[in-house]
PDB file of all heavy atoms in Angstrom:
ATOM      1  N   LEU A1322       0.818  -1.197  -0.011  1.00 98.00           N
ATOM      2  CA  LEU A1322       0.019  -0.018  -0.004  1.00 98.00           C
ATOM      3  C   LEU A1322       0.871   1.269  -0.015  1.00 98.00           C
ATOM      4  O   LEU A1322       1.878   1.327   0.691  1.00 98.00           O
ATOM      5  CB  LEU A1322      -0.902  -0.020   1.223  1.00 98.00           C
ATOM      6  CG  LEU A1322      -1.819   1.181   1.450  1.00 98.00           C
ATOM      7  CD1 LEU A1322      -3.113   0.718   2.102  1.00 98.00           C
ATOM      8  CD2 LEU A1322      -1.193   2.255   2.324  1.00 98.00           C
ATOM      9  N   VAL A1323       0.452   2.236  -0.795  1.00 98.00           N
ATOM     10  CA  VAL A1323       1.095   3.514  -0.779  1.00 98.00           C
ATOM     11  C   VAL A1323       0.127   4.559  -0.110  1.00 98.00           C
ATOM     12  O   VAL A1323       0.528   5.222   0.822  1.00 98.00           O
ATOM     13  CB  VAL A1323       1.443   3.991  -2.205  1.00 98.00           C
ATOM     14  CG1 VAL A1323       1.966   5.428  -2.203  1.00 98.00           C
ATOM     15  CG2 VAL A1323       2.415   3.059  -2.850  1.00 98.00           C
ATOM     16  N   ALA A1324      -1.066   4.627  -0.602  1.00 98.00           N
ATOM     17  CA  ALA A1324      -2.055   5.589  -0.056  1.00 98.00           C
ATOM     18  C   ALA A1324      -3.457   5.196  -0.480  1.00 98.00           C
ATOM     19  O   ALA A1324      -3.618   4.640  -1.587  1.00 98.00           O
ATOM     20  CB  ALA A1324      -1.740   7.008  -0.519  1.00 98.00           C
ATOM     21  N   THR A1325      -4.448   5.490   0.339  1.00 98.00           N
ATOM     22  CA  THR A1325      -5.834   5.235   0.016  1.00 98.00           C
ATOM     23  C   THR A1325      -6.668   6.414   0.445  1.00 98.00           C
ATOM     24  O   THR A1325      -6.295   7.197   1.326  1.00 98.00           O
ATOM     25  CB  THR A1325      -6.376   3.968   0.704  1.00 98.00           C
ATOM     26  OG1 THR A1325      -6.257   4.110   2.136  1.00 98.00           O
ATOM     27  CG2 THR A1325      -5.626   2.718   0.274  1.00 98.00           C
ATOM     28  N   ILE A1326      -7.810   6.544  -0.214  1.00 97.00           N
ATOM     29  CA  ILE A1326      -8.797   7.564   0.147  1.00 97.00           C
ATOM     30  C   ILE A1326     -10.168   6.967  -0.002  1.00 97.00           C
ATOM     31  O   ILE A1326     -10.452   6.272  -0.994  1.00 97.00           O
ATOM     32  CB  ILE A1326      -8.598   8.845  -0.751  1.00 97.00           C
ATOM     33  CG1 ILE A1326      -9.593   9.931  -0.373  1.00 97.00           C
ATOM     34  CG2 ILE A1326      -8.755   8.490  -2.222  1.00 97.00           C
ATOM     35  CD1 ILE A1326      -9.284  11.274  -1.016  1.00 97.00           C
ATOM     36  N   ASN A1327     -11.074   7.211   0.984  1.00 94.00           N
ATOM     37  CA  ASN A1327     -12.405   6.652   0.846  1.00 94.00           C
ATOM     38  C   ASN A1327     -13.434   7.731   0.501  1.00 94.00           C
ATOM     39  O   ASN A1327     -13.078   8.897   0.345  1.00 94.00           O
ATOM     40  CB  ASN A1327     -12.794   5.886   2.135  1.00 94.00           C
ATOM     41  CG  ASN A1327     -13.004   6.786   3.336  1.00 94.00           C
ATOM     42  OD1 ASN A1327     -13.049   8.010   3.229  1.00 94.00           O
ATOM     43  ND2 ASN A1327     -13.143   6.154   4.484  1.00 94.00           N
ATOM     44  N   GLN A1328     -14.687   7.327   0.413  1.00 91.00           N
ATOM     45  CA  GLN A1328     -15.739   8.236  -0.036  1.00 91.00           C
ATOM     46  C   GLN A1328     -15.884   9.437   0.917  1.00 91.00           C
ATOM     47  O   GLN A1328     -16.293  10.515   0.472  1.00 91.00           O
ATOM     48  CB  GLN A1328     -17.078   7.500  -0.103  1.00 91.00           C
ATOM     49  CG  GLN A1328     -17.247   6.639  -1.352  1.00 91.00           C
ATOM     50  CD  GLN A1328     -18.631   6.060  -1.440  1.00 91.00           C
ATOM     51  OE1 GLN A1328     -19.305   5.829  -0.453  1.00 91.00           O
ATOM     52  NE2 GLN A1328     -19.049   5.770  -2.688  1.00 91.00           N
ATOM     53  N   LEU A1329     -15.575   9.245   2.161  1.00 93.00           N
ATOM     54  CA  LEU A1329     -15.689  10.338   3.125  1.00 93.00           C
ATOM     55  C   LEU A1329     -14.474  11.250   3.137  1.00 93.00           C
ATOM     56  O   LEU A1329     -14.418  12.242   3.841  1.00 93.00           O
ATOM     57  CB  LEU A1329     -15.902   9.777   4.530  1.00 93.00           C
ATOM     58  CG  LEU A1329     -17.173   8.943   4.711  1.00 93.00           C
ATOM     59  CD1 LEU A1329     -17.252   8.415   6.132  1.00 93.00           C
ATOM     60  CD2 LEU A1329     -18.404   9.742   4.378  1.00 93.00           C
ATOM     61  N   GLY A1330     -13.486  10.891   2.319  1.00 92.00           N
ATOM     62  CA  GLY A1330     -12.275  11.686   2.236  1.00 92.00           C
ATOM     63  C   GLY A1330     -11.201  11.309   3.225  1.00 92.00           C
ATOM     64  O   GLY A1330     -10.182  11.985   3.331  1.00 92.00           O
ATOM     65  N   TYR A1331     -11.448  10.228   3.955  1.00 97.00           N
ATOM     66  CA  TYR A1331     -10.398   9.758   4.920  1.00 97.00           C
ATOM     67  C   TYR A1331      -9.227   9.226   4.112  1.00 97.00           C
ATOM     68  O   TYR A1331      -9.389   8.384   3.234  1.00 97.00           O
ATOM     69  CB  TYR A1331     -10.945   8.701   5.810  1.00 97.00           C
ATOM     70  CG  TYR A1331      -9.947   8.129   6.773  1.00 97.00           C
ATOM     71  CD1 TYR A1331      -9.603   8.816   7.923  1.00 97.00           C
ATOM     72  CD2 TYR A1331      -9.309   6.917   6.523  1.00 97.00           C
ATOM     73  CE1 TYR A1331      -8.650   8.327   8.798  1.00 97.00           C
ATOM     74  CE2 TYR A1331      -8.350   6.424   7.378  1.00 97.00           C
ATOM     75  CZ  TYR A1331      -8.007   7.124   8.514  1.00 97.00           C
ATOM     76  OH  TYR A1331      -7.050   6.629   9.360  1.00 97.00           O
ATOM     77  N   ILE A1332      -8.022   9.647   4.489  1.00 98.00           N
ATOM     78  CA  ILE A1332      -6.801   9.266   3.767  1.00 98.00           C
ATOM     79  C   ILE A1332      -5.845   8.516   4.680  1.00 98.00           C
ATOM     80  O   ILE A1332      -5.709   8.860   5.854  1.00 98.00           O
ATOM     81  CB  ILE A1332      -6.114  10.550   3.223  1.00 98.00           C
ATOM     82  CG1 ILE A1332      -6.964  11.186   2.102  1.00 98.00           C
ATOM     83  CG2 ILE A1332      -4.720  10.212   2.672  1.00 98.00           C
ATOM     84  CD1 ILE A1332      -6.449  12.533   1.601  1.00 98.00           C
ATOM     85  N   ASN A1333      -5.223   7.538   4.094  1.00 98.00           N
ATOM     86  CA  ASN A1333      -4.226   6.718   4.806  1.00 98.00           C
ATOM     87  C   ASN A1333      -2.977   6.610   3.933  1.00 98.00           C
ATOM     88  O   ASN A1333      -3.072   6.371   2.750  1.00 98.00           O
ATOM     89  CB  ASN A1333      -4.806   5.337   5.070  1.00 98.00           C
ATOM     90  CG  ASN A1333      -3.838   4.447   5.846  1.00 98.00           C
ATOM     91  OD1 ASN A1333      -3.235   4.883   6.839  1.00 98.00           O
ATOM     92  ND2 ASN A1333      -3.653   3.242   5.385  1.00 98.00           N
ATOM     93  N   TYR A1334      -1.820   6.850   4.573  1.00 98.00           N
ATOM     94  CA  TYR A1334      -0.526   6.749   3.879  1.00 98.00           C
ATOM     95  C   TYR A1334       0.340   5.701   4.539  1.00 98.00           C
ATOM     96  O   TYR A1334       0.334   5.524   5.742  1.00 98.00           O
ATOM     97  CB  TYR A1334       0.226   8.086   3.913  1.00 98.00           C
ATOM     98  CG  TYR A1334      -0.403   9.181   3.159  1.00 98.00           C
ATOM     99  CD1 TYR A1334      -1.060  10.240   3.793  1.00 98.00           C
ATOM    100  CD2 TYR A1334      -0.285   9.252   1.739  1.00 98.00           C
ATOM    101  CE1 TYR A1334      -1.618  11.286   3.058  1.00 98.00           C
ATOM    102  CE2 TYR A1334      -0.844  10.295   1.048  1.00 98.00           C
ATOM    103  CZ  TYR A1334      -1.511  11.322   1.689  1.00 98.00           C
ATOM    104  OH  TYR A1334      -2.075  12.337   0.968  1.00 98.00           O
ATOM    105  N   ALA A1335       1.149   5.041   3.709  1.00 98.00           N
ATOM    106  CA  ALA A1335       2.214   4.205   4.244  1.00 98.00           C
ATOM    107  C   ALA A1335       3.228   5.107   4.949  1.00 98.00           C
ATOM    108  O   ALA A1335       3.485   6.217   4.497  1.00 98.00           O
ATOM    109  CB  ALA A1335       2.904   3.408   3.104  1.00 98.00           C
ATOM    110  N   ASP A1336       3.814   4.596   6.010  1.00 98.00           N
ATOM    111  CA  ASP A1336       4.810   5.376   6.726  1.00 98.00           C
ATOM    112  C   ASP A1336       5.947   5.873   5.848  1.00 98.00           C
ATOM    113  O   ASP A1336       6.471   6.951   6.008  1.00 98.00           O
ATOM    114  CB  ASP A1336       5.372   4.590   7.905  1.00 98.00           C
ATOM    115  CG  ASP A1336       4.365   4.365   9.036  1.00 98.00           C
ATOM    116  OD1 ASP A1336       3.368   5.123   9.080  1.00 98.00           O
ATOM    117  OD2 ASP A1336       4.590   3.500   9.878  1.00 98.00           O
ATOM    118  N   ALA A1337       6.332   5.027   4.889  1.00 98.00           N
ATOM    119  CA  ALA A1337       7.474   5.344   4.038  1.00 98.00           C
ATOM    120  C   ALA A1337       7.235   6.564   3.156  1.00 98.00           C
ATOM    121  O   ALA A1337       8.221   7.150   2.662  1.00 98.00           O
ATOM    122  CB  ALA A1337       7.825   4.149   3.161  1.00 98.00           C
ATOM    123  N   VAL A1338       5.969   6.955   2.946  1.00 98.00           N
ATOM    124  CA  VAL A1338       5.711   8.059   2.018  1.00 98.00           C
ATOM    125  C   VAL A1338       5.086   9.272   2.696  1.00 98.00           C
ATOM    126  O   VAL A1338       4.882  10.309   2.056  1.00 98.00           O
ATOM    127  CB  VAL A1338       4.821   7.599   0.846  1.00 98.00           C
ATOM    128  CG1 VAL A1338       5.414   6.377   0.174  1.00 98.00           C
ATOM    129  CG2 VAL A1338       3.402   7.326   1.316  1.00 98.00           C
ATOM    130  N   LYS A1339       4.763   9.160   3.986  1.00 98.00           N
ATOM    131  CA  LYS A1339       4.157  10.269   4.683  1.00 98.00           C
ATOM    132  C   LYS A1339       5.006  11.532   4.607  1.00 98.00           C
ATOM    133  O   LYS A1339       6.206  11.491   4.794  1.00 98.00           O
ATOM    134  CB  LYS A1339       3.908   9.910   6.168  1.00 98.00           C
ATOM    135  CG  LYS A1339       2.732   8.993   6.384  1.00 98.00           C
ATOM    136  CD  LYS A1339       2.539   8.661   7.867  1.00 98.00           C
ATOM    137  CE  LYS A1339       1.370   7.738   8.085  1.00 98.00           C
ATOM    138  NZ  LYS A1339       1.221   7.348   9.514  1.00 98.00           N
ATOM    139  N   GLY A1340       4.353  12.634   4.309  1.00 98.00           N
ATOM    140  CA  GLY A1340       5.066  13.905   4.214  1.00 98.00           C
ATOM    141  C   GLY A1340       5.655  14.166   2.834  1.00 98.00           C
ATOM    142  O   GLY A1340       6.138  15.274   2.573  1.00 98.00           O
ATOM    143  N   ARG A1341       5.679  13.145   1.972  1.00 98.00           N
ATOM    144  CA  ARG A1341       6.231  13.317   0.625  1.00 98.00           C
ATOM    145  C   ARG A1341       5.218  13.083  -0.472  1.00 98.00           C
ATOM    146  O   ARG A1341       5.296  13.739  -1.529  1.00 98.00           O
ATOM    147  CB  ARG A1341       7.391  12.320   0.433  1.00 98.00           C
ATOM    148  CG  ARG A1341       8.537  12.462   1.419  1.00 98.00           C
ATOM    149  CD  ARG A1341       9.701  11.569   1.057  1.00 98.00           C
ATOM    150  NE  ARG A1341       9.382  10.131   1.070  1.00 98.00           N
ATOM    151  CZ  ARG A1341       9.497   9.329   0.007  1.00 98.00           C
ATOM    152  NH1 ARG A1341       9.920   9.808  -1.152  1.00 98.00           N
ATOM    153  NH2 ARG A1341       9.174   8.046   0.115  1.00 98.00           N
ATOM    154  N   PHE A1342       4.248  12.172  -0.232  1.00 98.00           N
ATOM    155  CA  PHE A1342       3.234  11.893  -1.245  1.00 98.00           C
ATOM    156  C   PHE A1342       1.892  12.451  -0.812  1.00 98.00           C
ATOM    157  O   PHE A1342       1.580  12.493   0.365  1.00 98.00           O
ATOM    158  CB  PHE A1342       3.096  10.370  -1.421  1.00 98.00           C
ATOM    159  CG  PHE A1342       4.263   9.702  -2.056  1.00 98.00           C
ATOM    160  CD1 PHE A1342       5.487  10.362  -2.273  1.00 98.00           C
ATOM    161  CD2 PHE A1342       4.159   8.373  -2.481  1.00 98.00           C
ATOM    162  CE1 PHE A1342       6.559   9.685  -2.878  1.00 98.00           C
ATOM    163  CE2 PHE A1342       5.216   7.701  -3.059  1.00 98.00           C
ATOM    164  CZ  PHE A1342       6.421   8.370  -3.280  1.00 98.00           C
ATOM    165  N   THR A1343       1.091  12.804  -1.816  1.00 98.00           N
ATOM    166  CA  THR A1343      -0.296  13.317  -1.544  1.00 98.00           C
ATOM    167  C   THR A1343      -1.226  12.666  -2.517  1.00 98.00           C
ATOM    168  O   THR A1343      -1.022  12.792  -3.746  1.00 98.00           O
ATOM    169  CB  THR A1343      -0.326  14.852  -1.713  1.00 98.00           C
ATOM    170  OG1 THR A1343       0.600  15.455  -0.797  1.00 98.00           O
ATOM    171  CG2 THR A1343      -1.720  15.332  -1.383  1.00 98.00           C
ATOM    172  N   ILE A1344      -2.256  12.005  -1.984  1.00 98.00           N
ATOM    173  CA  ILE A1344      -3.284  11.409  -2.812  1.00 98.00           C
ATOM    174  C   ILE A1344      -4.465  12.414  -2.881  1.00 98.00           C
ATOM    175  O   ILE A1344      -4.779  13.060  -1.887  1.00 98.00           O
ATOM    176  CB  ILE A1344      -3.754  10.057  -2.241  1.00 98.00           C
ATOM    177  CG1 ILE A1344      -4.684   9.347  -3.192  1.00 98.00           C
ATOM    178  CG2 ILE A1344      -4.376  10.213  -0.866  1.00 98.00           C
ATOM    179  CD1 ILE A1344      -4.994   7.907  -2.802  1.00 98.00           C
ATOM    180  N   SER A1345      -5.065  12.476  -4.054  1.00 97.00           N
ATOM    181  CA  SER A1345      -6.229  13.381  -4.237  1.00 97.00           C
ATOM    182  C   SER A1345      -7.094  12.796  -5.323  1.00 97.00           C
ATOM    183  O   SER A1345      -6.670  11.951  -6.117  1.00 97.00           O
ATOM    184  CB  SER A1345      -5.783  14.771  -4.544  1.00 97.00           C
ATOM    185  OG  SER A1345      -5.097  14.804  -5.814  1.00 97.00           O
ATOM    186  N   ARG A1346      -8.324  13.299  -5.386  1.00 95.00           N
ATOM    187  CA  ARG A1346      -9.214  12.845  -6.426  1.00 95.00           C
ATOM    188  C   ARG A1346      -9.943  14.053  -7.026  1.00 95.00           C
ATOM    189  O   ARG A1346     -10.232  15.043  -6.352  1.00 95.00           O
ATOM    190  CB  ARG A1346     -10.269  11.870  -5.875  1.00 95.00           C
ATOM    191  CG  ARG A1346     -11.052  12.416  -4.729  1.00 95.00           C
ATOM    192  CD  ARG A1346     -11.865  11.382  -4.029  1.00 95.00           C
ATOM    193  NE  ARG A1346     -12.596  11.986  -2.896  1.00 95.00           N
ATOM    194  CZ  ARG A1346     -13.249  11.286  -1.991  1.00 95.00           C
ATOM    195  NH1 ARG A1346     -13.296   9.959  -2.080  1.00 95.00           N
ATOM    196  NH2 ARG A1346     -13.845  11.906  -1.011  1.00 95.00           N
ATOM    197  N   ASP A1347     -10.224  13.960  -8.335  1.00 93.00           N
ATOM    198  CA  ASP A1347     -10.929  14.982  -9.017  1.00 93.00           C
ATOM    199  C   ASP A1347     -12.212  14.367  -9.570  1.00 93.00           C
ATOM    200  O   ASP A1347     -12.213  13.680 -10.602  1.00 93.00           O
ATOM    201  CB  ASP A1347     -10.108  15.557 -10.162  1.00 93.00           C
ATOM    202  CG  ASP A1347     -10.746  16.689 -10.899  1.00 93.00           C
ATOM    203  OD1 ASP A1347     -11.968  16.889 -10.707  1.00 93.00           O
ATOM    204  OD2 ASP A1347     -10.052  17.384 -11.676  1.00 93.00           O
ATOM    205  N   SER A1348     -13.320  14.572  -8.845  1.00 90.00           N
ATOM    206  CA  SER A1348     -14.614  13.947  -9.256  1.00 90.00           C
ATOM    207  C   SER A1348     -15.132  14.480 -10.555  1.00 90.00           C
ATOM    208  O   SER A1348     -15.867  13.804 -11.249  1.00 90.00           O
ATOM    209  CB  SER A1348     -15.614  14.119  -8.128  1.00 90.00           C
ATOM    210  OG  SER A1348     -15.212  13.471  -6.932  1.00 90.00           O
ATOM    211  N   THR A1349     -14.756  15.703 -10.894  1.00 92.00           N
ATOM    212  CA  THR A1349     -15.265  16.292 -12.130  1.00 92.00           C
ATOM    213  C   THR A1349     -14.622  15.612 -13.352  1.00 92.00           C
ATOM    214  O   THR A1349     -15.192  15.616 -14.438  1.00 92.00           O
ATOM    215  CB  THR A1349     -14.966  17.790 -12.203  1.00 92.00           C
ATOM    216  OG1 THR A1349     -13.553  17.995 -12.201  1.00 92.00           O
ATOM    217  CG2 THR A1349     -15.591  18.505 -10.996  1.00 92.00           C
ATOM    218  N   LYS A1350     -13.421  15.050 -13.137  1.00 93.00           N
ATOM    219  CA  LYS A1350     -12.728  14.353 -14.251  1.00 93.00           C
ATOM    220  C   LYS A1350     -12.609  12.868 -14.020  1.00 93.00           C
ATOM    221  O   LYS A1350     -11.941  12.171 -14.785  1.00 93.00           O
ATOM    222  CB  LYS A1350     -11.364  14.987 -14.445  1.00 93.00           C
ATOM    223  CG  LYS A1350     -11.404  16.441 -14.842  1.00 93.00           C
ATOM    224  CD  LYS A1350      -9.995  17.003 -15.084  1.00 93.00           C
ATOM    225  CE  LYS A1350     -10.063  18.470 -15.522  1.00 93.00           C
ATOM    226  NZ  LYS A1350      -8.729  19.059 -15.719  1.00 93.00           N
ATOM    227  N   ASP A1351     -13.221  12.397 -12.919  1.00 94.00           N
ATOM    228  CA  ASP A1351     -13.176  10.929 -12.595  1.00 94.00           C
ATOM    229  C   ASP A1351     -11.726  10.451 -12.598  1.00 94.00           C
ATOM    230  O   ASP A1351     -11.417   9.415 -13.217  1.00 94.00           O
ATOM    231  CB  ASP A1351     -14.049  10.131 -13.532  1.00 94.00           C
ATOM    232  CG  ASP A1351     -15.507  10.429 -13.372  1.00 94.00           C
ATOM    233  OD1 ASP A1351     -15.950  10.565 -12.219  1.00 94.00           O
ATOM    234  OD2 ASP A1351     -16.182  10.587 -14.393  1.00 94.00           O
ATOM    235  N   THR A1352     -10.874  11.159 -11.894  1.00 96.00           N
ATOM    236  CA  THR A1352      -9.445  10.876 -11.911  1.00 96.00           C
ATOM    237  C   THR A1352      -8.896  10.908 -10.499  1.00 96.00           C
ATOM    238  O   THR A1352      -9.246  11.769  -9.699  1.00 96.00           O
ATOM    239  CB  THR A1352      -8.677  11.896 -12.775  1.00 96.00           C
ATOM    240  OG1 THR A1352      -9.221  11.866 -14.099  1.00 96.00           O
ATOM    241  CG2 THR A1352      -7.196  11.528 -12.848  1.00 96.00           C
ATOM    242  N   LEU A1353      -8.036   9.932 -10.202  1.00 97.00           N
ATOM    243  CA  LEU A1353      -7.307   9.882  -8.927  1.00 97.00           C
ATOM    244  C   LEU A1353      -5.860  10.294  -9.223  1.00 97.00           C
ATOM    245  O   LEU A1353      -5.305   9.916 -10.257  1.00 97.00           O
ATOM    246  CB  LEU A1353      -7.395   8.453  -8.394  1.00 97.00           C
ATOM    247  CG  LEU A1353      -6.711   8.191  -7.050  1.00 97.00           C
ATOM    248  CD1 LEU A1353      -7.557   8.768  -5.930  1.00 97.00           C
ATOM    249  CD2 LEU A1353      -6.560   6.688  -6.817  1.00 97.00           C
ATOM    250  N   HIS A1354      -5.270  11.028  -8.295  1.00 98.00           N
ATOM    251  CA  HIS A1354      -3.906  11.475  -8.472  1.00 98.00           C
ATOM    252  C   HIS A1354      -3.003  11.043  -7.316  1.00 98.00           C
ATOM    253  O   HIS A1354      -3.487  10.793  -6.203  1.00 98.00           O
ATOM    254  CB  HIS A1354      -3.845  13.009  -8.580  1.00 98.00           C
ATOM    255  CG  HIS A1354      -4.576  13.575  -9.755  1.00 98.00           C
ATOM    256  ND1 HIS A1354      -4.105  13.424 -11.035  1.00 98.00           N
ATOM    257  CD2 HIS A1354      -5.728  14.288  -9.831  1.00 98.00           C
ATOM    258  CE1 HIS A1354      -4.966  14.012 -11.860  1.00 98.00           C
ATOM    259  NE2 HIS A1354      -5.960  14.540 -11.153  1.00 98.00           N
ATOM    260  N   LEU A1355      -1.714  10.984  -7.600  1.00 98.00           N
ATOM    261  CA  LEU A1355      -0.743  10.804  -6.531  1.00 98.00           C
ATOM    262  C   LEU A1355       0.428  11.729  -6.844  1.00 98.00           C
ATOM    263  O   LEU A1355       1.182  11.523  -7.821  1.00 98.00           O
ATOM    264  CB  LEU A1355      -0.246   9.327  -6.496  1.00 98.00           C
ATOM    265  CG  LEU A1355       0.729   9.047  -5.333  1.00 98.00           C
ATOM    266  CD1 LEU A1355       0.001   9.130  -3.984  1.00 98.00           C
ATOM    267  CD2 LEU A1355       1.377   7.675  -5.512  1.00 98.00           C
TER     268      LEU A1355
END
């Protein structure tokens, strides 16, 4: 696992990437980003 995001917007990161990686989603474009 690197990162997850659920419908409520709760985000979870692996310890190895915390502070460096950011997960986000764009519902208008149906796209997930890292």
